[in-house]
Every structure is written in structure tokens, then in C-alpha cells.
């Protein structure tokens, strides 16, 4: 959205009892009940409006977010079948349109995601859901308040997949004439603390407080939230300074000192997230098939200098997890800036001054968790040329195009010849680890874009799936992470610190150790 259009379309702050948020997305996330635009879509148009059987506990700031009961008040593995989980649904929950949430609504939504012959099947939402819950095999209604969901194999961390399956009122689909395109503007009804009040494609979505929200302790303080896509960082800052928005995602790092001096609040906080390059190992003739090349790149980049460029809003990444994480493990490779080691590994793989390594990198101009992708990638482009004589060509695309490319096969036209993608990732739990790196989840089936296979890693994930307790699961995660470092499918660059800037009128915000935020605590005058 152009800044001039934003300024003309938005009234002065004094007349607006609304929390106005500038997202990094180039368009509003989809509003049918399972948003696109990555986890920024889930952050603002996912959990605040549409909920799952399981939810994230985002009330804590002193530890990484864990799971909590959502539309299911409890769940357990079936005593006679380790592959089946029984979910006991919460009583008295209603969708925003007044219809009841019950087992029939659960089955209807699961058919929407997993049954292509159902009238309500929604291919875009199905693609996202299948990739996030790749082990789901079947489901059935036990009674009006109970459903069973079965995975393809026993998996102890299955609830960490279920948390991403969100539920929409079946009545929304019927009211729209069974047309998902019309559902998007009806708007659709969820069960969350906010309901969608108004949709203007490419401009904004307005949320209104759900005064009948089932969880009285988490009913929203603010009456309305307006979400606006403003993909360019300087435009977001200008809108904040002009009083046209109250909250911006990912402020440009060089503007942070002046924002603080002007009285704006700039928040940062550690959370489970990484900003990497994803190697296209599976592409025909890819130089990244050689593990020495993948390791070399991890020794060739100057992470500390990049953190300085970002004004301290990130920390160096030496693996998928932070080095301080108890599950980082003890890998053989301890990555750091070491050009001599990087060049030696490249030379062993057949690359050097006479035959430099050449990569084609696909990036977005903005997007969920992408921080400042253009200056960051331009820094890495120059850095790799200087340290290890690596040539990187940058191809800039829109954020959703990049996300779609991540689910493509290695030589697909959608990749436009890319050997590397820059897409950030949550690192919240072992289910995400398995989803991104397990050989069973190779794209386009799942999120393993790299087409990476490692027997040691797969063994560790199998151990995690059978883990009898949290200690055993942590041990399996450590073993798996050691393989991710020593046989890297990604270039590990930085873990960002989730910076955002806010007007002083925003009260009650807390920064949980999560990708997601609790909008219900926030108030504005």
C-alpha cells in the first residue's frame, strides 16, 4: 500500500479508538480461516480470529511458549492405539455467527483440508495444512463432544502439528454459496477473541472485539484492530511517525535510535526463530550436493558484522537452534567466520579462483520474519565474494511467491533456477524440526525444500516420535540437531530478536518467546 494512500485513507489518531498495525506483508493474508503469508498471517489473522484444538501459551515471557488447551479442553493418546489421539471438545463454544462448535464442525474442517472430494475442499488451505500436519492419516467423530485423529505412525509430538489446524464455521461456507472466494469477504466466522468486521483486499482487514469469547479471562481489551500491509520498512516508519499507525513490524534498524529518541517504544526479545538460506540440494547439477560446499558457506559469512548492520536486533546463528539452547548438542563443526577453512573446503570440492562457486538466490522484498531481506542479502552477497570468492545472483520476488517456491520440486519453473532460497523459520519444537528436515517430508509433500536426507537425523526423529517422556524427546532433538550442523541443509545466518516499534498510546503489550502475540492484553485510548 502506497504511503500517500495510507495517509489519505486513515483518520488522525485522536479519532481512532483502534489499534492500527502495519504488517510486512504485501497484501492482507487470506481471510477464509487459514491465512497465507506465512506465520505473520497466523500471528494476525490466524489465532486472534480462528482457533485450533490446541493453542500456544503466549502469556509467558520467561520461557519458550508451550502448548495449552484450546477448543479441546484435554487430549490423550488412545490406550489401545498409540497412533490415535482423542480430543475432548470444550463445552459452550460458538462461532462468531452464533453456530455451535462441535465434533461435526471439526470433521467438516478436517475434510476441508484433507478430503479432496468434499464440497468444502479448499486447495490453498489444504496445501498449508498438509505441509504443517504431514502425519495426519484419518479422523472420526466419537460423539458430539469427542473426536479421534490418527497419524500414519505413532508420534509423541503430534499435538505440535494439530496446533496449526484452525477452524471456520461451516455456516460461513453455506452463506457464501459454497464459494471460498466469497467466504473471504463475507467475512468468515471463527471462535477467537476477535471477529473479522471488514475486509478491503490489498488495503486492510478490521477486527472487532468478540464480547462473547468463550475464555472470559482472555477477552480483548481493545475494541478494534486494523491490519494494514505496508511491505516497505521506511514506509512503515513514516506511517508510525505521522501517527497513522500505532504498531509496526520489523522497523528499519538504522531508524531505531531516532524512534526511541522521539518517544516511541521499540521492543526486542529472544524467540524461536532463524533467518537462513535454504540450500537446493536436489536440483540437477546443484553444487550444494557436496556437503563440503554446504559447510564451507557456513564458515565464509561474517555473522557479527551482519548483527552490527542490524543495530543489534539479531544474534549470530551457528545451527538451526541457538547455541545457548540445551538441545543444540555437541556437533563437530563449530561455525564462525573462517575464510581459510571455507576456501579449503571449497577447493576440496573443486571450486576456487579459476572456478568460483556460483549461486542464484531467491529472496522477497519483505514478509513474515524476513527482517530486512534486501540489505541483509546484499551484505551476504558482498561478504561471500570477499571472503571465499563466491558469486551470488539475487532474484527478488513477492513473499507469497517465495513461499510457494519453497514447496516446489528442485527443478520446477517456479524456482527460476534458484539454488538457494531465503526463508525464515520458527524453531519452536521437534515437530517443526521433523517437518523441515525429515526425509519423509521432502517437497512438494512437505517443507523439506532442500531434499536433504540424513540417516542419523531420521533415526533421531524416529526416537523422538517414540519418546516416552520429555527427557527422551530432548535427547532425540539434540542428536538430530547435531546432524543439522555437521551435514547442514541450510546456511545458518542469524536469529532475529523480533523487533517492532509502537506508539506510546499502546498499553499492555508483552513480548512472549513465541512467533505469535497476545492482542487481547492490549489497549489504546
Amino acid at each position: 500500500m502506497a504511503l500517500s494512500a495510507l495517509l489519505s485513507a486513515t483518520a488522525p489518531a485522536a479519532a481512532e479508538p483502534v489499534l492500527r498495525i502495519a504488517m510486512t506483508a504485501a497484501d492482507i493474508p487470506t481471510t477464509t480461516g487459514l491465512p497465507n503469508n506465512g506465520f505473520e498471517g497466523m500471528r494476525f489473522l490466524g489465532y486472534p480470529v480462528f482457533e485450533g484444538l490446541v493453542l500456544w501459551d503466549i502469556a509467558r515471557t520467561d520461557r519458550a511458549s508451550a502448548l495449552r488447551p484450546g477448543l479441546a479442553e484435554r487430549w490423550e493418546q488412545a490406550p489401545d492405539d498409540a497412533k490415535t489421539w482423542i480430543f475432548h471438545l470444550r463445552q459452550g463454544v460458538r462461532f462468531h455467527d452464533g453456530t455451535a462448535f462441535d465434533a461435526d464442525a471439526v470433521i467438516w474442517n478436517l475434510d476441508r483440508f484433507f478430503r479432496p472430494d468434499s464440497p468444502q475442499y479448499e486447495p490453498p488451505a489444504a496445501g498449508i495444512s498438509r505441509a504443517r500436519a504431514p502425519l495426519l492419516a484419518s479422523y472420526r467423530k466419537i460423539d458430539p463432544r469427542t473426536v479421534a485423529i490418527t497419524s500414519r505412525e505413532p508420534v509423541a509430538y503430534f499435538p505440535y502439528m494439530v496446533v496449526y489446524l484452525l477452524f471456520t464455521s461451516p455456516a460461513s461456507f453455506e452463506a457464501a454459496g459454497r464459494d471460498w472466494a466469497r467466504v473471504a469477504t463475507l467475512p468468515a466466522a471463527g471462535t477467537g477473541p476477535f471477529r473479522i468486521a471488514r475486509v478491503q483486499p490489498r488495503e486492510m482487514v478490521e477486527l472487532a472485539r468478540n464480547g462473547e469469547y468463550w475464555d472470559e479471562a482472555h477477552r480483548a481489551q481493545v475494541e478494534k484492530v486494523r491490519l494494514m500491509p505496508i511491505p516497505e520498512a521506511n514506509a512503515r516508519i513514516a506511517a508510525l511517525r505521522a501517527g497513522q499507525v500505532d504498531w509496526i513490524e520489523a522497523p528499519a534498524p538504522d531508524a531505531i535510535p531516532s524512534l526511541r529518541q522521539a518517544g516511541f517504544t521499540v521492543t526486542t526479545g529472544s524467540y524461536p526463530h532463524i533467518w537462513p538460506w535454504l540450500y537446493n540440494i536436489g536440483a540437477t547439477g546443484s553444487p550444494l550436493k557436496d556437503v563440503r560446499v554446504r559447510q564451507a558457506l557456513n564458515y565464509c559469512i561474517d555473522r557479527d558484522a551482519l548483527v552490527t548492520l542490524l543495530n543489534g536486533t539479531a544474534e549470530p546463528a551457528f545451527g538451526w537452534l541457538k547455541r545457548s539452547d540445551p538441545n543444540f548438542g555437541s556437533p563437530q563443526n563449530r561455525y564462525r567466520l573462517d575464510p581459510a577453512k571455507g576456501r579449503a573446503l571449497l577447493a576440496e570440492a573443486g571450486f576456487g579462483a579459476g572456478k568460483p562457486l556460483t549461486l542464484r538466490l531467491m529472496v522477497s522484498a519483505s514478509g513474515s520474519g524476513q527482517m530486512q531481506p534486501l540489505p541483509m542479502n546484499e551484505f551476504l552477497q558482498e561478504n561471500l565474494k570477499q571472503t571465499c570468492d563466491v558469486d551470488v545472483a539475487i532474484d527478488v520476488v513477492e513473499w507469497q511467491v517465495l513461499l510457494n517456491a519453497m514447496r516446489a520440486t528442485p527443478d520446477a519453473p517456479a524456482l527460476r533456477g534458484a539454488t538457494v532460497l531465503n526463508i525464515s523459520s520458527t524453531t519452536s519444537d521437534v515437530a517443526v524440526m521433523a517437518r523441515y528436515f525429515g526425509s519423509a517430508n521432502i517437497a512438494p509433500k512437505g517443507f523439506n525444500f532442500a531434499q536433504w536426507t540424513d540417516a542419523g537425523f531420521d533415526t533421531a526423529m524416529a526416537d523422538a516420535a517414540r519418546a516416552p517422556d520429555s527427557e527422551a524427546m530432548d535427547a532425540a532433538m539434540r542428536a538430530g540437531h547435531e546432524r543439522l550442523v555437521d551435514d547442514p541443509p541450510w546456511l545458518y545466518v542469524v536469529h532475529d530478536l523480533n523487533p517492532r516499534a509502537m506508539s506510546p498510546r499502546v498499553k499492555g503489550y508483552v513480548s512472549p518467546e513465541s512467533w505469535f502475540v497476545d492482542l487481547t492484553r492490549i489497549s489504546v485510548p
Side-chain angles (χ1 to χ4, degrees):
M1 185 177 185
L3 180 59
S4 59
L6 172 70
L7 298 181
S8 63
T10 310
E16 293 271 7
V18 180
L19 173 64
R20 299 155 305 164
I21 298 176
M23 301 182 296
T24 66
D27 194 0
I28 63 170
T30 47
T31 54
T32 58
L34 193 77
N36 65 0
N37 273 284
F39 271 11
E40 187 176 48
M42 291 288 283
R43 176 185 286 161
F44 293 124
L45 272 169
Y47 295 119
V49 181
F50 307 95
E51 299 177 300
L53 301 175
V54 182
L55 294 175
W56 290 104
D57 181 358
I58 50 177
R60 300 285 296 266
T61 60
D62 59 341
R63 69 182 185 192
S65 294
L67 299 180
R68 68 176 178 90
L71 296 178
E73 59 187 6
R74 60 187 174 89
W75 57 85
E76 73 275 345
Q77 283 179 292
D80 58 343
D81 180 8
K83 294 188 293 184
T84 297
W85 291 76
I86 308 299
F87 293 87
H88 303 272
L89 307 185
R90 194 175 295 279
Q91 299 278 350
V93 177
R94 292 193 170 272
F95 289 104
H96 300 144
D97 58 15
T99 58
F101 170 79
D102 55 19
D104 289 332
V106 172
I107 300 302
W108 186 93
N109 275 273
L110 294 177
D111 283 349
R112 167 192 169 198
F113 301 140
F114 296 100
R115 188 181 148 198
D117 63 344
S118 66
Q120 67 268 32
Y121 187 66
E122 185 186 7
I128 296 171
S129 297
R130 288 168 180 267
R132 290 176 178 166
L135 295 181
L136 190 148
S138 63
Y139 41 86
R140 60 186 174 88
K141 172 184 173 181
I142 295 177
D143 60 45
R145 311 299 329 160
T146 316
V147 295
I149 303 179
T150 300
S151 56
R152 292 200 308 268
E153 57 197 50
V155 55
Y157 52 80
F158 189 64
Y160 283 97
M161 297 182 183
V162 176
V163 74
Y164 298 114
L165 302 176
L166 306 187
F167 296 93
T168 302
S169 167
S172 297
F173 186 64
E174 295 298 329
R178 299 191 168 194
D179 181 349
W180 282 112
R182 291 185 61 198
V183 172
T185 57
L186 259 179
T191 60
F194 293 93
R195 59 180 177 82
I196 298 176
R198 188 158 54 116
V199 178
Q200 293 180 212
R202 301 199 72 83
E203 292 188 15
M204 68 91 176
V205 177
E206 191 164 275
L207 310 182
R209 179 179 183 269
N210 176 14
E212 304 300 318
Y213 183 48
W214 59 266
D215 188 348
E216 293 185 19
H218 287 88
R219 286 182 180 167
Q221 302 298 308
V222 67
E223 288 296 328
K224 292 183 179 179
V225 177
R226 185 171 299 152
L227 303 168
M228 291 170 281
I230 307 180
E232 208 279 313
N234 288 327
R236 291 194 297 275
I237 289 171
L240 181 65
R241 289 186 183 277
Q244 304 303 318
V245 298
D246 309 298
W247 164 328
I248 64 173
E249 296 285 284
D254 58 0
I256 288 176
S258 64
L259 285 173
R260 285 183 167 135
Q261 289 172 4
F264 294 100
T265 300
V266 179
T267 68
T268 57
S270 179
Y271 75 127
H273 177 262
I274 185 169
W275 192 95
W277 283 5
L278 282 60
Y279 296 145
N280 188 351
I281 299 170
T284 301
S286 172
L288 298 164
K289 295 182 187 296
D290 193 320
V291 66
R292 295 169 296 186
V293 173
R294 306 198 301 269
Q295 292 172 338
L297 293 170
N298 274 287
Y299 283 107
C300 288
I301 60 171
D302 190 345
R303 298 168 177 86
D304 291 333
L306 184 56
V307 169
T308 299
L309 175 72
L310 295 171
N311 210 352
T313 58
E315 54 189 316
F318 306 103
W320 189 67
L321 296 173
K322 299 176 185 180
R323 187 170 281 177
S324 60
D325 192 297
N327 291 331
F328 186 91
S330 301
Q332 296 178 13
N333 285 272
R334 291 282 173 162
Y335 297 125
R336 60 197 180 279
L337 177 60
D338 189 341
K341 188 173 183 66
R343 285 177 179 271
L345 285 167
L346 288 174
E348 289 177 18
F351 297 99
K355 183 186 175 184
L357 174 65
T358 300
L359 302 173
R360 182 173 177 81
L361 169 67
M362 182 180 282
V363 307
S364 62
S366 64
S368 171
Q370 294 297 91
M371 303 182 69
Q372 310 298 324
L374 296 185
M376 292 172 71
N377 282 300
E378 288 167 355
F379 170 89
L380 291 173
Q381 179 186 45
E382 180 63 23
N383 180 199
L384 285 168
K385 182 63 176 176
Q386 292 182 358
T387 58
C388 293
D389 198 29
V390 174
D391 292 324
V392 179
I394 297 178
D395 181 19
V396 183
V397 299
E398 196 270 331
W399 172 230
Q400 190 60 44
V401 172
L402 182 61
L403 286 177
N404 293 342
M406 183 181 67
R407 293 192 284 272
T409 53
D411 295 313
L415 289 169
R416 296 158 47 147
T419 46
V420 190
L421 303 185
N422 168 221
I423 297 181
S424 59
S425 160
T426 183
T427 60
S428 57
D429 56 83
V430 68
V432 174
M433 177 184 274
R435 190 164 77 234
Y436 273 100
F437 305 112
S439 61
N441 296 316
I442 284 174
K445 181 179 179 181
F447 282 136
N448 186 348
F449 165 77
Q451 305 270 316
W452 180 74
T453 59
D454 182 276
F457 179 85
D458 284 344
T459 296
M461 293 301 96
D463 290 343
R466 296 188 297 265
D469 51 43
S470 60
E471 289 78 9
M473 191 173 294
D474 286 346
M477 195 170 182
R478 282 193 297 276
H481 191 261
E482 289 171 356
R483 297 306 307 145
L484 291 179
V485 175
D486 287 333
D487 185 9
W490 292 1
L491 174 62
Y492 306 115
V493 185
V494 293
H495 303 286
D496 85 78
L497 296 180
N498 207 13
R500 50 177 56 98
M502 299 177 184
S503 161
R505 69 192 292 263
V506 177
K507 308 297 182 184
Y509 170 77
V510 298
S511 181
E513 287 194 39
S514 171
W515 192 284
F516 310 108
V517 296
D518 187 355
L519 296 178
T520 67
R521 297 180 174 212
I522 295 168
S523 62
V524 294

